[in-house]
C-alpha cells in the first residue's frame, strides 16, 4: 500500500503540490485525474524519487519509502523515452538489471514481456526502427519488467487507439488481480471512470476529492426524473423539492433529502400513474467540472 | 450500481485542503493482498558496473566510434610511413661537378660526416662543362652543383641551398684549406689543434638526464592532451544521453545518479585508455621500426610513475567532463558546456610542460597539473617520499568531490528540459 501524507513540493516560491494526501491500496486501480498544472506529474515524480519532497512523507507498506522499495516500482514517466539505438531485448534486460534483477531473471522477464506484448519478432531490432505503436509497447514493457510491486503510470493511455487502450487496461487489470496497486494519471475522465476502482481528483496542486468512482459521483448533485401520466406542475408545492424543469408530464427535480423521494413518489402515485421515477447520478466528468469550477 | 465502499458520508466539496488527513478508506479484504517485503535483493553487481558494461558494449558496436578509432590509427600509421620515407631519403644527395678534384672532396665530406655519426651518401655526377652543371641544377636533376673558383669552391643551388651539401662539403672545404694553410705556415693541423679538445664530465652520471625528463614530460603532456580530446566530448555526450532521450526518469527511479555517473565515467575512460594504448602502441612500433629505439627507450625510462599519474589524472579529467555533461540538457549543449573544460586542459598542458622550480613544485600538488609535473619531479629525483603520495591523494579527493558535485548538478538539472543551465544556476536549484 502506498500512502502520501501531506506531500508538498515547491519550485522556488511556487507551490506545485500542496499538502496532497491519498493512498493506493493493494489490488486497486487508482485513477489520478486533474487538468493541466494540477501537479499530477510532479506528485508521481516524487513517488518515484525523481524529485525530492519539500514536505510531508510518502510511505510504502507503512514505512517511509526507500530507494530499495522504489527499485521494485514500475514507472512510466510522462515524457516517454528509451535508448533509440539499443535493441528491444537489450534495453529491457538493462533496465531490469538496474532494478536489481540478476542477468538471468532480467532476460527471462524481458522475454516474457516481449512475447506478451507481441513483439517477439522485434526483439533484436533497434528501438528506433520500430513503429510508434510498437515503441509504446516497449515503453510499457519497461514499466512492467521484473514484476513490480507497484505501478505508477503517468498518462499511460495517451496516444493509444481504442484497441490498445483495451489491451492496456487488461494488462493493468492482471496486475491488480495479483494484488499490485496501480496508480495512473489521466485527463480522459470517461476512461478513468470506466477503469478505476478509486479516484483522486486534483486541481492546482490540491486534492479536491478521493474515493470510489461511485462515491465521487454522489458528491455531485443527484437529481431525480419523474415521468407521470398527467401534468407535473403540482411538484412545485412539495416541500424539499427544487424543480429544475417541469413540462409535458416530465419533471427534473433536486431533492433536499432522501426521504423527500418517498413522499414525492407516494404523492405522484396518489395522483395517477407513474411511468418513471429515477435517480440521475452525474458522471465523474460532471463532478469534476463542478468541483474545479467552484 | 456498485456498493459504496469508501467514505461513509459524502463530504461537500469544500476547500480542497480542508482535510489533509490520510484517506479513511477501509482496507479492502483481498485474498491476494501482498505483505512480503518489497524489492528483491539478489546478489547482483553494484549498479555502476552494470552501467559500465552497457556503456562499453554499446560503444564498441557504435560505427562512429569504430570508424574514428580506425581513422586515427590510419593517420598514425601514415605518419610512421612518412617517417620511413623521410629517413630513407635524407642524407642522400646527388651533386653535379666538373673538376676531378671534386670526387676527392666528396669522399672527404662523407668521412667527416661519418665521424660525427651522420649517415650521408653523396653521389657525384660528372659533367663536361660548368654550363652543364648549371643546367643540371636548374632542371632539378641534381640537388646541388660544385664548381672550382679561383679562390676555392662554389656550391650551386637552384632556389635553395641543399643543407646536407652545404654542411659537409663546407666542412671538407674548410678542412682542406686549413690543412693547406697550415703547411704553408710551416706547421701542421695536429699542432694547430693541440689543446683544443673539451673534456666532458658528468657529476651525476647515474641520474636521469634532464633532456630525458623533459622529453618524457612533453610526451606525457601530449598524451594527456590527446586523452582529453578523445575522452571529453564522448563522455559528456554519453552523460547527456539519458536526458536527451528522456529515459532518465526511469533510471533515476531505479539507481542512484552517482552510480549512473560513475558507471559512465569508468566505461568511457576505459575505452579512451584502450584507444590510447592502441595509438601509442602503433606509434611505438613506428618509432622502433624507423630506427628510433633510443628515443623510445629514453621516453619509457620513467614510464612507471608517469603511468600511475596518467591514469589518476585521466580519472580526474573524466570527472570534470562528466560535470560538463551533467549540466547539459541536450547534445547540442555539449559544445558550450565543455568549452571551459577544454580551456582548463589547454592551460594544464602548457603549464605542465613549461613549469619549473617553485611553480613546478606547487603545480605538482594541484589536481590535473600533477599528472605531468609530479612524475617529472620524481624522475628528476627531487621529491621527498611523502610528496607523490600526498599529490595522488589530493587528486583522488578532487575526483570524488567533482563526482559528487556533478551528481548534484545532474539531479538538479534533470527536470530542466527546456533550457541549458549555468553551473551557478544548477547549484542554486533544489533537488
Amino acid at each position: 500500500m502506498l500512502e502520501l501524507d501531506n506531500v508538498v513540493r515547491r519550485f522556488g516560491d511556487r507551490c506545485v503540490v500542496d499538502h496532497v494526501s491519498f493512498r493506493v491500496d493493494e489490488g486497486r486501480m487508482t485513477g489520478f485525474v486533474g487538468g493541466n498544472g494540477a501537479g499530477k506529474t510532479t506528485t508521481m515524480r516524487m513517488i518515484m524519487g525523481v524529485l525530492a519532497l519539500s514536505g510531508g512523507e510518502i510511505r510504502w507498506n507503512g514505512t517511509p519509502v526507500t530507494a530499495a522499495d522504489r527499485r521494485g516500482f514500475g514507472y512510466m514517466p510522462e515524457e516517454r523515452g528509451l535508448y533509440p539505438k539499443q535493441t528491444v531485448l537489450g534495453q529491457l534486460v538493462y533496465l531490469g538489471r538496474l532494478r536489481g534483477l540478476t542477468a538471468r531473471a532480467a532476460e527471462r522477464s524481458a522475454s516474457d514481456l516481449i512475447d506478451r506484448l507481441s513483439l517477439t519478432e522485434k526483439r533484436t531490432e533497434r528501438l528506433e526502427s520500430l513503429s510508434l505503436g510498437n515503441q509504446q509497447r516497449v515503453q510499457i514493457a519497461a514499466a512492467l519488467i521484473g514484476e513490480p510491486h507497484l505501478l505508477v503510470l503517468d498518462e499511460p493511455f495517451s496516444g493509444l487507439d481504442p484497441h490498445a487502450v483495451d489491451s492496456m487496461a487488461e494488462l493493468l487489470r492482471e496486475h491488480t488481480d495479483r494484488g499490485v496497486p496501480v496508480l495512473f494519471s489521466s485527463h480522459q475522465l470517461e476512461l478513468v471512470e470506466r477503469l478505476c476502482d478509486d479516484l483522486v481528483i486534483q486541481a492546482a496542486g490540491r486534492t479536491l476529492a478521493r474515493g470510489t468512482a461511485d462515491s465521487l459521483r454522489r458528491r455531485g448533485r443527484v437529481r431525480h426524473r419523474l415521468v407521470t401520466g398527467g401534468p407535473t406542475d403540482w411538484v412545485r408545492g412539495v416541500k424539499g423539492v427544487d424543480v429544475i424543469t417541469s413540462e409535458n408530464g416530465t419533471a427534473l427535480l433536486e431533492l433536499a433529502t432522501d426521504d423527500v423521494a418517498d413522499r414525492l413518489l407516494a404523492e405522484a402515485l396518489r395522483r395517477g400513474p407513474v411511468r418513471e421515477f429515477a435517480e440521475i447520478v452525474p458522471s465523474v466528468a460532471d463532478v469534476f467540472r463542478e468541483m474545479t469550477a467552484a | 450500481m456498485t456498493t459504496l465502499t469508501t467514505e461513509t458520508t459524502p463530504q461537500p466539496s469544500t476547500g480542497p485542503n480542508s482535510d489533509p488527513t490520510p484517506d479513511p478508506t477501509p482496507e479492502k479484504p483481498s485474498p491476494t493482498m501482498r505483505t512480503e517485503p518489497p524489492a528483491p535483493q539478489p546478489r547482483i553487481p553494484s549498479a555502476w558496473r552494470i552501467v559500465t558494461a552497457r556503456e562499453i558494449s554499446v560503444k564498441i558496436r557504435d560505427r562512429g566510434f569504430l570508424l574514428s578509432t580506425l581513422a586515427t590509427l590510419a593517420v598514425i600509421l601514415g605518419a610512421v610511413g612518412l617517417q620511413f620515407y623521410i629517413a630513407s631519403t635524407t642524407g642522400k644527395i646527388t651533386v653535379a661537378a666538373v673538376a676531378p678534384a671534386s670526387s676527392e672532396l666528396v669522399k672527404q665530406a662523407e668521412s667527416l660526416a661519418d665521424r660525427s655519426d651522420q649517415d650521408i651518401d653523396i653521389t657525384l655526377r660528372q659533367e663536361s662543362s660548368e654550363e652543364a652543371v648549371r643546367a643540371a641544377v636548374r632542371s632539378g636533376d641534381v640537388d646541388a652543383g660544385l664548381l672550382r673558383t679561383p679562390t676555392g669552391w662554389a656550391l650551386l643551388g637552384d632556389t635553395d641551398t641543399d643543407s646536407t651539401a652545404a654542411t659537409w662539403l663546407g666542412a671538407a672545404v674548410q678542412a682542406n684549406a686549413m690543412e693547406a694553410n697550415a703547411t704553408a705556415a710551416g706547421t701542421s693541423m695536429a699542432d694547430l689543434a693541440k689543446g683544443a679538445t673539451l673534456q666532458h664530465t658528468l657529476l651525476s652520471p647515474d641520474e636521469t638526464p634532464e633532456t630525458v625528463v623533459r622529453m618524457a614530460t612533453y610526451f606525457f603532456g601530449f598524451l594527456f592532451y590527446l586523452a582529453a580530446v578523445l575522452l571529453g566530448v564522448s563522455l559528456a555526450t554519453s552523460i547527456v544521453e539519458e536526458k536527451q532521450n528522456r529515459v532518465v526518469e526511469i533510471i533515476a527511479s531505479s539507481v542512484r545518479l552517482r552510480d549512473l555517473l560513475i558507471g559512465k565515467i569508468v566505461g568511457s575512460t576505459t575505452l579512451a585508455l584502450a584507444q590510447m594504448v592502441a595509438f601509442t602502441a602503433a606509434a611505438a612500433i613506428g618509432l622502433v621500426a624507423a630506427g628510433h629505439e633510443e628515443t623510445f627507450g629514453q621516453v619509457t625510462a620513467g614510464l612507471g610513475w608517469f603511468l600511475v599519474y596518467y591514469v589518476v589524472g585521466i580519472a580526474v579529467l573524466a570527472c570534470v567532463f562528466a560535470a560538463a555533461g551533467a549540466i547539459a540538457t541536450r547534445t547540442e549543449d555539449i559544445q558550450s558546456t565543455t568549452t571551459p573544460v577544454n580551456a582548463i586542459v589547454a592551460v594544464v598542458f602548457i603549464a605542465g610542460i613549461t613549469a619549473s622550480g617553485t611553480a613546478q613544485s606547487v603545480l605538482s600538488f594541484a589536481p590535473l597539473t600533477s599528472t605531468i609535473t609530479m612524475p617529472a619531479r620524481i624522475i628528476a629525483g627531487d621529491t621527498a617520499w611523502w610528496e607523490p603520495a600526498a599529490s595522488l591523494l589530493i587528486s583522488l579527493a578532487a575526483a570524488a568531490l567533482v563526482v559528487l558535485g556533478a551528481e548534484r548538478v545532474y539531479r538538479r538539472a534533470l527536470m530542466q528540459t527546456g533550457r541549458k543551465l549555468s553551473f551557478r544556476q544548477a547549484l542554486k536549484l533544489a533537488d
Side-chain angles (χ1 to χ4, degrees), chain B residues 11-100:
Chain B
Q11 297 163 344
S13 57
T14 52
N17 199 25
S18 60
D19 177 23
T21 49
D23 198 332
T25 309
E27 294 281 343
K28 182 188 169 215
S30 160
T32 54
M33 191 129 89
R34 289 151 66 113
T35 47
E36 76 209 53
Q41 297 289 338
R43 222 160 279 144
I44 47 156
S46 27
W48 69 264
R49 282 166 56 189
I50 300 171
V51 176
T52 300
R54 175 188 174 272
E55 204 58 33
I56 292 175
S57 81
V58 167
K59 203 75 173 282
I60 55 176
R61 290 199 189 96
D62 180 60
R63 203 172 297 161
F65 175 78
L66 290 177
L67 282 180
S68 72
T69 306
L70 290 177
T72 312
L73 268 180
V75 167
I76 291 173
L77 292 176
V80 168
L82 195 67
Q83 278 270 341
F84 262 118
Y85 174 74
I86 291 170
S88 65
T89 52
T90 44
K92 289 203 174 70
I93 54 170
T94 309
V95 175
V98 188

Side-chain angles (χ1 to χ4, degrees), chain B residues 10 12 18 22 26 31 57 61 85 96 98 116 144 166 223 237 240 262-264 284 290 303 329 336 354 408 415 429:
Chain B
S18 60
S57 81
R61 290 199 189 96
Y85 174 74
V98 188
S116 305
L223 280 191
T237 309
V240 89
I262 292 174
K264 292 200 168 249
L303 207 62
T329 300
S336 60
T354 54
R408 274 168 85 99
M415 291 303 147
L429 290 171

Side-chain angles (χ1 to χ4, degrees), chain B residues 59-371:
Chain B
K59 203 75 173 282
I60 55 176
R61 290 199 189 96
D62 180 60
R63 203 172 297 161
F65 175 78
L66 290 177
L67 282 180
S68 72
T69 306
L70 290 177
T72 312
L73 268 180
V75 167
I76 291 173
L77 292 176
V80 168
L82 195 67
Q83 278 270 341
F84 262 118
Y85 174 74
I86 291 170
S88 65
T89 52
T90 44
K92 289 203 174 70
I93 54 170
T94 309
V95 175
V98 188
S102 46
S103 83
E104 197 58 36
L105 194 67
V106 164
K107 265 193 209 105
Q108 230 171 331
E110 282 178 337
S111 75
L112 277 173
D114 201 41
R115 249 179 278 160
S116 305
D117 282 334
Q118 295 283 319
D119 187 21
I120 66 160
D121 179 11
I122 302 176
T123 310
L124 195 62
R125 199 167 108 175
Q126 287 290 345
E127 299 286 350
S128 51
S129 65
E130 287 194 10
E131 259 328 295
V133 170
R134 284 180 213 280
V137 171
R138 213 170 274 130
S139 70
D141 289 347
V142 295
D143 297 292
L146 192 59
L147 294 178
R148 194 92 176 111
T149 63
T151 50
W153 294 88
L155 188 67
L156 302 183
D158 186 20
T159 55
D160 298 283
T161 306
D162 185 276
S163 62
T164 309
T167 308
W168 298 112
L169 287 174
V173 168
Q174 192 180 9
N176 278 346
M178 283 170 71
E179 187 86 59
N181 294 345
T183 314
T187 177
S188 70
M189 271 307 282
D191 287 340
L192 278 178
K194 205 173 279 170
T197 320
L198 180 66
Q199 286 282 328
H200 302 250
T201 310
L202 291 179
L203 298 177
S204 312
D206 299 333
E207 283 180 21
T208 319
E210 207 178 308
T211 46
V212 172
V213 174
R214 193 146 286 279
M215 176 115 56
T217 307
Y218 280 128
F219 181 69
F220 277 92
F222 174 73
L223 280 191
F224 184 72
Y225 196 79
L226 182 64
V229 173
L230 287 174
L231 177 69
V233 173
S234 98
L235 173 59
T237 309
S238 127
I239 297 275
V240 89
E241 182 186 14
E242 278 77 10
K243 285 197 265 185
Q244 170 104 1
N245 60 30
R246 301 308 301 158
V247 72
V248 67
E249 280 191 63
I250 296 179
I251 306 278
S253 65
S254 311
V255 297
R256 286 186 309 177
L257 291 172
R258 195 180 312 162
D259 284 318
L260 178 70
L261 294 184
I262 292 174
K264 292 200 168 249
I265 289 169
V266 174
S268 287
T269 310
T270 307
L271 283 174
L273 287 176
Q275 279 180 303
M276 299 294 304
V277 168
F279 297 160
T280 41
I285 291 167
L287 276 178
V288 172
H292 293 296
E293 296 94 337
E294 213 176 310
T295 317
F296 185 66
Q298 283 176 342
V299 169
T300 52
L303 207 62
W305 278 112
F306 268 111
L307 277 185
V308 171
Y309 276 84
Y310 186 70
V311 171
V312 172
I314 294 296
V316 179
L317 187 66
C319 295
V320 179
F321 272 113
I327 199 162
T329 300
R330 292 158 301 156
T331 41
E332 290 88 333
D333 304 335
I334 295 290
Q335 180 81 33
S336 60
T337 59
T338 53
T339 302
V341 185
N342 286 327
I344 293 172
V345 170
V347 169
V348 164
F349 174 58
I350 293 165
I353 61 171
T354 54
S356 58
T358 315
Q360 194 189 34
S361 303
V362 171
L363 290 180
S364 68
F365 287 100
L368 293 180
T369 49
S370 64
T371 312

